[in-house]
Amino acid sequence: MSLFMKTYNYYFAAFGAFFIWGFFSLALRPLQNYPSLDILFYRVFMSAIAMLLINMVFRRKKVRNNWLLFSSLKSNEKRRIVLLTLGGSFLLTANWFVFIYVVNHVNVKAASLAYLICPIVTTFFAFVILKEKLSKSQWIAVLISVFSCVLLSMNHFQDIFYSFVVATTYALYLVSQRKNSEIDKFILLTIQLLFTAIVILPFYPFYSGNIPTEPVFYICLAIIVVLFTIVPLFLNLYSLKGINSSTVGIMMYINPIINFLIAFFYFNEEVSSIQLLSYFLIALSIIIFNKKMLFAKKSKSLLSNCSTLK
């Protein structure tokens, strides 16, 4: 496989993760009568158990090889991997908890705004912490994103603080996992979800409701666990192997764009002209930020056609 195709696969993985997450509301809507924390508890527990079983049944050789690899590393490298893995799990747990708090005790707009702020925060952390370089066109795309978020947050400045906290926890998760590349990503995600399950387990008896008995709850949870948790999180981590955190971060805008389209066309929610302009600018910023990859693909295709004609 050529270097170009490998890079394209990483872009496709990042796109696929946030494209899938964009439809999350369709799976959540049938569960709107259940407490948000119950959904969170069962989502984490079921995801951790499912991934553990997959590794134990189908990936035992991969687990063994990764353990041998980890055992062969120097002590400082082991310490770095453990800190990044458990630190990432803590950030993921914090992100899910804060997000649920914002939805339940602040408002949904603040939670939605977090998805729009997160790519900007991710790009900033990647620039400061990882020293990732951005081209002039990519900085222009970031500025367009900032402007669109300002438009969407007009008259809602009280929501910015809560949105920023949610965005920061996930942005730091993405940036930290960019440097955690030695261990197999599926195994890494399994460890993080298991650690998350252990962290939230003591809270379950005190904050959970009655055990759900309706089949629809478990059917929807199974879809959420597989399609909206394991698959996109794995794609997200996989993409970080080949493209930088800021690129993955800007891809995050795909999620709110799809949410916006679903809200408008499927749920028939009202949309203002400012929202239309803002989401158009966000879509434009994604194209500008990734124009090098898009044009490279087009150029390669043209060269291939010319070669064939010869």
Side-chain angles (χ1 to χ4, degrees):
M1 185 182 293
S2 67
L3 178 61
F4 175 82
M5 286 304 299
K6 284 184 178 179
T7 304
Y8 176 75
N9 286 340
Y10 295 131
Y11 272 86
F12 183 77
F15 174 86
F18 297 113
F19 180 83
I20 291 171
W21 270 324
F23 294 91
F24 195 16
S25 60
L26 296 179
L28 280 176
R29 184 55 67 96
L31 302 178
Q32 60 184 342
N33 294 325
Y34 294 91
S36 298
L37 277 178
D38 278 1
I39 298 172
L40 175 65
F41 283 133
Y42 286 97
R43 179 188 184 189
V44 172
F45 296 150
M46 291 173 66
S47 297
I49 293 171
M51 295 198 68
L52 184 62
L53 289 174
I54 290 172
N55 279 294
M56 291 175 63
V57 176
F58 301 106
R59 308 183 85 244
R60 282 179 293 182
K61 184 177 180 181
K62 181 71 72 172
V63 172
R64 184 166 53 250
N65 290 340
N66 274 262
W67 173 251
L68 293 174
L69 172 63
F70 179 78
S71 300
S72 67
L73 297 175
K74 297 178 180 178
S75 58
N76 61 325
E77 293 176 328
K78 291 180 182 177
R79 191 182 310 111
R80 180 181 62 83
I81 291 174
V82 170
L83 289 175
L84 285 174
T85 301
L86 298 185
S89 182
F90 173 78
L91 289 168
L92 199 59
T93 305
N95 176 260
W96 288 357
F97 262 118
V98 175
F99 183 80
I100 292 294
Y101 174 82
V102 171
V103 170
N104 284 346
H105 301 288
V106 184
N107 58 59
V108 177
K109 293 192 296 294
S112 300
L113 186 59
Y115 283 113
L116 301 176
I117 296 176
C118 194
I120 300 168
V121 178
T122 303
T123 301
F124 173 77
F125 283 138
F127 178 75
V128 173
I129 299 173
L130 300 179
K131 310 300 181 184
E132 292 182 358
K133 303 298 182 183
L134 298 180
S135 64
K136 288 183 178 179
S137 62
Q138 288 176 322
W139 278 117
I140 291 173
V142 171
L143 291 175
I144 292 174
S145 300
V146 172
F147 179 67
S148 65
C149 290
V150 170
L151 286 178
L152 286 172
S153 64
M154 287 176 64
N155 301 320
H156 299 286
F157 290 106
Q158 70 274 15
D159 297 343
I160 292 179
F161 171 77
Y162 298 103
S163 301
F164 184 76
V165 174
V166 175
T168 299
T169 50
Y170 195 73
L172 286 173
Y173 172 75
L174 284 179
V175 171
S176 66
Q177 298 316 293
R178 169 67 172 158
K179 301 183 73 174
N180 197 9
S181 57
E182 290 85 355
I183 304 299
D184 176 79
K185 293 301 183 183
F186 197 87
I187 296 173
L188 179 67
L189 183 58
T190 303
I191 295 171
Q192 290 179 333
L193 286 175
L194 280 172
F195 183 74
T196 299
I198 293 170
V199 169
I200 69 173
L201 183 59
F203 298 95
Y204 175 77
F206 302 100
Y207 295 99
S208 64
N210 296 326
I211 297 177
T213 57
E214 297 82 0
V216 66
F217 179 84
Y218 295 100
I219 292 173
C220 290
L221 251 296
I223 295 172
I224 289 172
V225 164
V226 176
L227 189 58
F228 295 105
T229 303
I230 295 176
V231 172
L233 278 176
F234 173 71
L235 290 174
N236 214 182
L237 288 176
Y238 173 78
S239 67
L240 289 169
K241 290 176 61 178
I243 56 179
N244 59 37
S245 304
S246 55
T247 302
V248 174
I250 210 73
M251 288 282 193
M252 202 177 300
Y253 280 129
I254 295 167
N255 184 340
I257 287 175
I258 294 175
N259 279 330
F260 172 78
L261 294 174
I262 289 175
F264 181 70
F265 289 106
Y266 187 78
F267 294 119
N268 298 316
E269 295 183 3
E270 294 185 3
V271 178
S272 67
S273 56
I274 290 180
Q275 287 177 317
L276 284 172
L277 175 61
S278 299
Y279 280 97
F280 170 77
L281 291 174
I282 288 170
L284 180 63
S285 71
I286 296 174
I287 295 173
I288 294 174
F289 194 94
N290 295 288
K291 73 171 188 176
K292 184 177 180 180
M293 179 64 188
L294 296 173
F295 290 161
K297 181 184 177 183
K298 184 177 180 181
S299 299
K300 190 175 182 67
S301 176
L302 288 173
L303 288 174
S304 176
N305 289 338
C306 290
S307 177
T308 303
L309 289 173
K310 288 180 181 179

